[in-house]
Amino acid sequence: MTSELEKLVQMIQTSHRMVFFGGAGISTASGIPDFRSSTGLYQTESKEAYPAEVMLSHSFFMQHTEEFYRFYREKMLFPKAKPNAAHQALAELEKRGKLAAVVTQNIDGLHQMAGSQKVYEIHGSVHRNYCQSCRAFYDLSYILKTQSIPYCEKCGDIVKPDVVLYEEALDDQTVKKAIDAIQNADLLIIGGTSLVVYPAASFIHYFTGNSIVLMNKGQTAMDQQADIVIRDSIDKAFEQIMQKL
């Protein structure tokens, strides 16, 4: 175990209100690609007529709904993905009373699948879908089994994923709860995020606790402010951490 991981183990042992702020990097070990790494969705070659950022925008959803859903099903949905060691470790730390909350930019639902209870999904979830008119709820299986555009079985309008697309605002209540959790944390672990997506990345500036730990394979703008920087894979790091706790 590296000295950085040993220090983190000690921090967790003395923490009472730890918060994990995570991004796509925590789910890569579950087979879900991230966005901005060299193998991420935004970096790999694509035959699409539009950039991924455009196809995941509100205006594209409204104007090219069928094309949006083709891309969304192909690139954003991973129904067979399972939680990895990092998700499981965070759920266990919550059970032990160490972890106060998970604030995630991910939409995959793997934290809840691992058993985490207090999860603030600031960008929504693929597991929730609503009719744009009557707000009838549909789960992920409905999106997967429908062809092309999914329509509401009750009123016939288009069903939209409860996912924050580009050009859309974050949910106010989720933002408030996430910021409150970070403000009240004594230890903030930031994992698997490049911290370039705003306003989500700005949430960490509300932290006034004791220590910040950064777990990310690539450099971020927060590296200099972090008390510990860990470059290892998050799942492997948490496997070692849990062996010591």
Side-chain angles (χ1 to χ4, degrees), residues 40-88:
L41 180 62
Y42 293 168
Q43 304 299 329
T44 53
E45 283 191 29
S46 174
K47 298 178 181 179
E48 303 293 345
Y50 304 91
E53 296 96 322
V54 173
M55 300 186 77
L56 294 174
S57 68
H58 176 81
S59 57
F60 193 87
F61 172 81
M62 298 300 293
Q63 298 165 16
H64 307 277
T65 311
E66 185 173 356
E67 187 71 0
F68 168 87
Y69 264 111
R70 182 194 60 77
F71 180 81
Y72 179 74
R73 288 188 179 95
E74 181 180 335
K75 300 293 186 180
M76 304 299 292
L77 301 182
F78 298 87
K80 295 181 180 180
K82 301 296 181 184
N84 60 55
H87 298 103
Q88 293 163 353

Side-chain angles (χ1 to χ4, degrees), residues 17-157:
R17 297 183 310 280
M18 183 176 81
V19 166
F20 180 84
F21 178 90
I26 193 174
S27 294
T28 53
S30 296
I32 301 178
D34 61 13
F35 293 90
R36 292 174 173 80
S37 73
S38 59
T39 57
L41 180 62
Y42 293 168
Q43 304 299 329
T44 53
E45 283 191 29
S46 174
K47 298 178 181 179
E48 303 293 345
Y50 304 91
E53 296 96 322
V54 173
M55 300 186 77
L56 294 174
S57 68
H58 176 81
S59 57
F60 193 87
F61 172 81
M62 298 300 293
Q63 298 165 16
H64 307 277
T65 311
E66 185 173 356
E67 187 71 0
F68 168 87
Y69 264 111
R70 182 194 60 77
F71 180 81
Y72 179 74
R73 288 188 179 95
E74 181 180 335
K75 300 293 186 180
M76 304 299 292
L77 301 182
F78 298 87
K80 295 181 180 180
K82 301 296 181 184
N84 60 55
H87 298 103
Q88 293 163 353
L90 292 168
E92 176 61 27
L93 289 169
E94 184 183 29
K95 288 180 184 177
R96 296 185 190 182
K98 290 291 183 182
L99 184 72
V102 170
V103 178
T104 181
Q105 300 172 81
N106 296 346
I107 59 176
D108 52 42
L110 293 183
H111 285 292
Q112 292 93 328
M113 199 181 299
S116 290
Q117 299 296 311
K118 193 166 287 187
V119 182
Y120 302 124
E121 298 171 308
I122 53 182
H123 291 154
S125 172
V126 300
H127 296 278
R128 299 187 300 268
N129 305 272
Y130 295 96
C131 171
Q132 294 192 107
S133 292
C134 72
R135 300 298 295 168
F137 170 83
Y138 294 91
D139 61 14
L140 177 58
S141 64
Y142 183 77
I143 302 300
L144 292 170
K145 74 180 182 181
T146 52
Q147 299 296 318
S148 185
I149 301 172
Y151 290 99
C152 178
E153 294 179 335
K154 296 182 178 179
C155 74
D157 201 356

